[in-house]
Amino acid sequence: MKIGIVGATGVVGREMIQVLEKRDFPLSELVCFASSKSAGVSLKFKGKNILVKELNEHSFNDIKILFLAAGRKVSEHYAPLAQKAGILVIDSSSFFRTDPAIPLVIPEINPHALASHKGIISSPNCTATIMLMALAPLHRKKRIKRIVAASYQAASGAGARAMEELKGETKAFLEGNPFERSVMPYPYAFNLFLHNSAVNDEGYSEEETKVIFETKKILEDETIALSITCVRVPVLRAHSIALNVEFHESFSVEEAQEILRKAPGLTLQEDRKEMRFATPLDASMQDTILCGRIRQDLYHPNTLDLWVVGDQLLKGAALNAVQIAEEATKLGITSKTSGSLVTG
Amino acid sequence: MKIGIVGATGVVGREMIQVLEKRDFPLSELVCFASSKSAGVSLKFKGKNILVKELNEHSFNDIKILFLAAGRKVSEHYAPLAQKAGILVIDSSSFFRTDPAIPLVIPEINPHALASHKGIISSPNCTATIMLMALAPLHRKKRIKRIVAASYQAASGAGARAMEELKGETKAFLEGNPFERSVMPYPYAFNLFLHNSAVNDEGYSEEETKVIFETKKILEDETIALSITCVRVPVLRAHSIALNVEFHESFSVEEAQEILRKAPGLTLQEDRKEMRFATPLDASMQDTILCGRIRQDLYHPNTLDLWVVGDQLLKGAALNAVQIAEEATKLGITSKTSGSLVTG
């Protein structure tokens, strides 16, 4: 089975290559694509060098599964072409996520959604994925009525250059030197800012709108009320989320802990005595999502507070996409299992 | 009028000296106290050197107002002694805040509470102060029913050594060198963690408990429901707070903006077009609290989201204490205006 990655030299693409290797994904050949700028770059996979090819419309020969990790515009253009060529597309961009005909999948949560695919499957927003890994098991037990969330998002969500810029700007700050930013619009060294995606007429950033929409789609519950504030913090690669969650019935802390202890892809880190709760550094480079600090809301019925942390590049992006491919393979899903084409 | 500062060499004490100078506080002499370790240190005030004295039980001769900024233990011991000596005590520690007989004052919000003082006045927790500067004017207009808050707290709240440690650890991280922490219990370079004050049986940290208690006391409304998650972020000296606030009646964004635009000590920074919202760096070294990004909760009635940022060392600590002294002076309040002693 020949597998392709578009955006292979980007921060998510590079993680995908490592995830495919680490999980020993059953592939016969890995083909890496990037823009003309990065074509010719050599990437390591299982000890071999892979020469990155320039992506064009004739790139897809014999590929069975194509991961798209190069942003909305590339996905908009290439996903339908690959789909037409009979390739199963797993898209990490936001482009197809809002399309009701496109499954938006976190394999631990809604693998059944894969069945309705038409050749393109979307992998969700990183913040939504990390948050839902903890919330979905609780929602299954006692339905969620309302979520109030505040995020602490890492630089990695804005790409490799943002991570480098955070380090470079911080170094310059510590040395008292000037620094010229080229990625982030605001000072980032020892600073934080509201997520810099465009704000709509209601004052919500695109990131916040994505989390709200995707939560409802993945949990398949339009009735969930959700408010979120997305904030970019000077952390390299893991997102944290502070959650206040109201359920339709009462939920004891012990009951929630018990459910989360057993939930797949999740680790409960809840040590009040030693005061050890999950931090982004704990979650970095880890496949598992960390959660804990589960508290009963003291003043609002049926409501729990919790804290969730996860690696933005792994479960928040590359790992989830690869898991979708694994799940699809397990279910015997190929692009050919469904015939009708989709328009984005 | 002779003024004393206990804890003058600490990060809050040093800010107090600058605030007294900048505001040209009407004093005849400034006396600086610290522990024996820091006695003899020389501090600058209005171009003159002040030699720091060791604090002892006979330190208070002729002092009219004494600022305590050396933590709970020092306040517990020295506040009653100073009070007995007829000195008006303004305490920045948490020690007396929960005492119903001790006024807990933010001068822009509840100056009337000063009237009931018995010689000791408490200045509130930094996070509570910054949050309430934006919430109190809204509460006055349409009563607050419930607050869900998540904080992004700077290193300064843990003292000067924590600020230095954050910089030192970050430098070591960037250089790939090992670093031995002596202040913070968790890695702090490009990392964040739940506030490291002790967690009670219900899972709430002391910091969270303080914000909840002090909000009710300062707003004089026991019915307010409050949930907060306090988080320490790698930022130097300003706290940010993401707020979801439910009122007893509907509140339009424009109405809230109008109120906050006129509120004292507060600056509305709300530029959706240019995507300029307050950051900790904007708020650092500023007396004013910044707020903005006011949004209508899309799914919950009578509820607004907002974002508040303020300098932890100024309005969050030193400035508020000095403003209490100014307000007390203006009202002719001295320790002698009320006779009965208080026990903490």
Side-chain angles (χ1 to χ4, degrees):
Chain A
M1 185 159 63
K2 208 163 147 183
I3 300 287
I5 299 179
V6 173
T9 58
V11 65
V12 174
R14 285 175 192 268
E15 292 289 331
M16 277 179 180
I17 295 170
Q18 288 184 42
V19 170
L20 289 168
E21 175 166 342
K22 200 176 152 201
R23 297 173 76 88
D24 204 13
F25 188 90
L27 56 83
S28 57
E29 189 188 342
L30 179 64
V31 194
C32 291
F33 301 103
S35 67
S36 59
K37 222 170 51 191
S38 297
V41 166
S42 177
L43 297 171
K44 273 259 186 291
F45 178 67
K46 296 194 171 180
K48 285 186 209 149
N49 288 319
I50 298 180
L51 216 62
V52 175
K53 296 180 184 177
E54 184 180 344
L55 181 66
N56 65 48
E57 300 182 5
H58 313 288
S59 292
F60 304 133
N61 278 346
D62 302 330
I63 286 174
K64 288 277 178 264
I65 297 178
L66 185 70
F67 293 102
L68 294 181
R72 284 176 61 89
K73 287 208 166 159
V74 171
S75 292
E76 178 180 8
H77 185 71
Y78 285 97
L81 291 175
Q83 179 192 35
K84 216 180 235 172
I87 298 166
L88 184 67
V89 175
I90 297 171
D91 184 25
S92 291
S93 88
S94 61
F95 190 75
F96 296 98
R97 290 184 198 146
T98 53
D99 187 329
I102 304 268
L104 181 65
V105 177
I106 300 173
E108 292 91 340
I109 300 176
N110 61 338
H112 55 272
L114 287 171
S116 68
H117 89 99
K118 294 178 179 66
I120 301 174
I121 299 159
S122 275
S123 187
N125 170 275
C126 46
T127 305
T129 304
I130 291 163
M131 177 178 90
L132 292 173
M133 283 295 289
L135 292 189
L138 301 175
H139 179 64
R140 258 195 294 273
K141 185 76 180 180
K142 307 191 176 189
R143 270 179 56 226
I144 290 174
K145 190 173 172 189
R146 184 175 179 229
I147 302 166
V148 181
S151 77
Y152 302 69
Q153 298 185 217
S156 58
R161 284 173 57 230
M163 296 169 80
E164 285 312 307
E165 187 163 290
L166 171 58
K167 288 192 271 187
E169 186 178 346
T170 305
K171 184 167 179 287
F173 179 99
L174 289 169
E175 290 167 352
N177 291 327
F179 183 83
E180 206 169 310
R181 280 183 304 279
S182 61
V183 184
M184 287 306 192
Y186 316 115
Y188 199 6
F190 300 111
N191 198 29
L192 54 82
F193 45 86
L194 289 156
H195 195 281
N196 53 303
S197 51
V199 161
N200 67 13
D201 287 344
E202 284 155 328
Y204 283 75
S205 68
E206 271 176 16
E207 183 78 357
E208 290 160 354
T209 305
K210 283 178 195 172
V211 175
I212 293 171
F213 178 88
E214 296 179 25
T215 294
K216 292 165 177 272
K217 182 166 176 176
I218 294 165
L219 296 185
E220 296 163 356
D221 191 338
E222 274 302 316
T223 69
I224 295 173
L226 210 151
S227 169
I228 180 161
T229 300
C230 287
V231 179
R232 185 82 74 191
V233 294
V235 160
L236 289 167
R237 59 175 285 160
H239 289 0
S240 309
I241 310 156
L243 289 161
N244 179 272
V245 188
E246 182 181 353
F247 296 87
H248 282 277
E249 43 186 318
S250 78
F251 220 143
S252 79
V253 169
E254 295 68 28
E255 212 176 345
Q257 286 173 340
E258 194 50 31
I259 289 167
L260 295 175
R261 204 170 277 125
K262 291 179 191 158
L266 201 70
T267 304
L268 186 68
Q269 189 166 327
E270 180 80 272
D271 188 342
R272 290 184 185 180
K273 214 174 135 194
E274 296 290 323
M275 291 280 293
R276 286 293 301 146
F277 305 105
T279 76
L281 221 57
D282 296 328
S284 291
M285 323 293 278
Q286 303 289 332
D287 286 355
T288 190
I289 298 297
L290 305 176
C291 74
R293 194 96 191 288
I294 303 167
R295 293 170 287 161
Q296 199 69 240
D297 190 307
L298 298 173
Y299 302 98
H300 205 258
N302 309 339
T303 304
L304 295 176
D305 285 294
L306 66 157
W307 175 249
V308 187
V309 189
D311 188 297
Q312 185 270 328
L313 294 172
L314 289 175
K315 188 59 189 172
L319 173 62
N320 196 68
V322 172
Q323 286 176 309
I324 290 173
E326 289 172 348
E327 189 69 22
T329 307
K330 204 174 80 186
L331 297 172
I333 287 171
T334 67
S335 184
K336 296 291 164 52
T337 56
S338 173
S340 56
L341 291 182
V342 165
T343 53
Chain B
M1 184 160 61
K2 210 163 145 182
I3 302 288
I5 300 179
V6 173
T9 57
V11 65
V12 174
R14 285 175 191 266
E15 291 288 331
M16 277 180 180
I17 296 170
Q18 288 184 42
V19 170
L20 289 167
E21 174 165 345
K22 200 176 151 201
R23 298 173 76 89
D24 203 15
F25 189 90
L27 56 84
S28 59
E29 190 188 341
L30 180 64
V31 193
C32 292
F33 301 104
S35 66
S36 60
K37 221 171 49 188
S38 298
V41 166
S42 177
L43 297 172
K44 273 258 184 289
F45 178 67
K46 295 193 171 180
K48 284 185 209 150
N49 289 317
I50 298 179
L51 218 59
V52 175
K53 296 180 184 177
E54 184 179 345
L55 181 66
N56 65 50
E57 300 182 4
H58 313 288
S59 292
F60 304 134
N61 278 345
D62 303 330
I63 286 175
K64 288 278 177 266
I65 298 177
L66 186 70
F67 294 100
L68 294 181
R72 284 176 60 90
K73 288 208 165 158
V74 172
S75 292
E76 177 180 11
H77 185 73
Y78 284 98
L81 293 173
Q83 179 193 37
K84 215 179 235 174
I87 298 166
L88 184 66
V89 175
I90 298 171
D91 184 24
S92 292
S93 88
S94 61
F95 189 77
F96 295 98
R97 290 185 198 146
T98 52
D99 187 328
I102 304 267
L104 182 65
V105 177
I106 300 172
E108 293 91 338
I109 300 176
N110 62 339
H112 56 271
L114 287 170
S116 68
H117 88 99
K118 293 177 180 67
I120 301 174
I121 299 159
S122 274
S123 187
N125 169 273
C126 46
T127 305
T129 304
I130 292 164
M131 178 178 88
L132 292 173
M133 283 296 289
L135 292 189
L138 302 176
H139 180 64
R140 258 195 295 275
K141 185 75 180 182
K142 308 190 177 190
R143 270 180 56 226
I144 290 173
K145 190 173 172 189
R146 182 175 181 231
I147 301 166
V148 181
S151 77
Y152 301 70
Q153 298 185 218
S156 58
R161 283 175 57 230
M163 296 168 79
E164 285 313 307
E165 186 163 288
L166 171 58
K167 286 192 273 187
E169 187 178 346
T170 305
K171 185 167 178 288
F173 179 99
L174 289 170
E175 291 167 353
N177 291 328
F179 183 84
E180 207 170 310
R181 280 183 305 278
S182 61
V183 185
M184 288 305 190
Y186 317 114
Y188 200 6
F190 301 111
N191 198 27
L192 53 84
F193 44 87
L194 289 156
H195 195 281
N196 53 303
S197 51
V199 161
N200 68 14
D201 287 344
E202 285 154 328
Y204 284 74
S205 68
E206 270 176 16
E207 183 78 358
E208 291 159 352
T209 305
K210 283 178 193 171
V211 175
I212 293 171
F213 178 89
E214 296 180 26
T215 294
K216 291 165 176 274
K217 181 165 176 176
I218 293 165
L219 296 185
E220 295 163 358
D221 190 338
E222 275 299 318
T223 69
I224 295 172
L226 211 150
S227 168
I228 180 161
T229 300
C230 286
V231 179
R232 186 82 74 191
V233 294
V235 160
L236 289 165
R237 60 175 284 160
H239 288 359
S240 309
I241 310 155
L243 290 161
N244 180 272
V245 189
E246 181 180 352
F247 297 88
H248 281 277
E249 45 186 317
S250 77
F251 219 142
S252 78
V253 169
E254 295 68 27
E255 212 176 344
Q257 286 174 339
E258 194 51 31
I259 290 167
L260 295 175
R261 202 171 276 124
K262 291 178 190 158
L266 200 72
T267 303
L268 186 68
Q269 189 167 327
E270 180 78 274
D271 188 342
R272 290 183 185 180
K273 214 173 132 194
E274 296 291 323
M275 291 280 293
R276 285 296 298 144
F277 305 105
T279 75
L281 220 59
D282 297 329
S284 291
M285 324 290 278
Q286 303 288 332
D287 286 355
T288 190
I289 299 297
L290 305 176
C291 74
R293 193 98 190 288
I294 303 166
R295 292 170 288 160
Q296 200 69 240
D297 190 307
L298 298 173
Y299 302 98
H300 205 257
N302 309 338
T303 303
L304 295 176
D305 286 294
L306 66 157
W307 174 249
V308 187
V309 190
D311 188 295
Q312 185 270 329
L313 294 171
L314 289 174
K315 187 60 189 172
L319 173 62
N320 196 68
V322 172
Q323 286 175 308
I324 290 173
E326 289 173 347
E327 189 70 22
T329 307
K330 206 175 77 186
L331 297 173
I333 288 171
T334 67
S335 184
K336 296 291 165 54
T337 55
S338 173
S340 56
L341 289 182
V342 165
T343 52

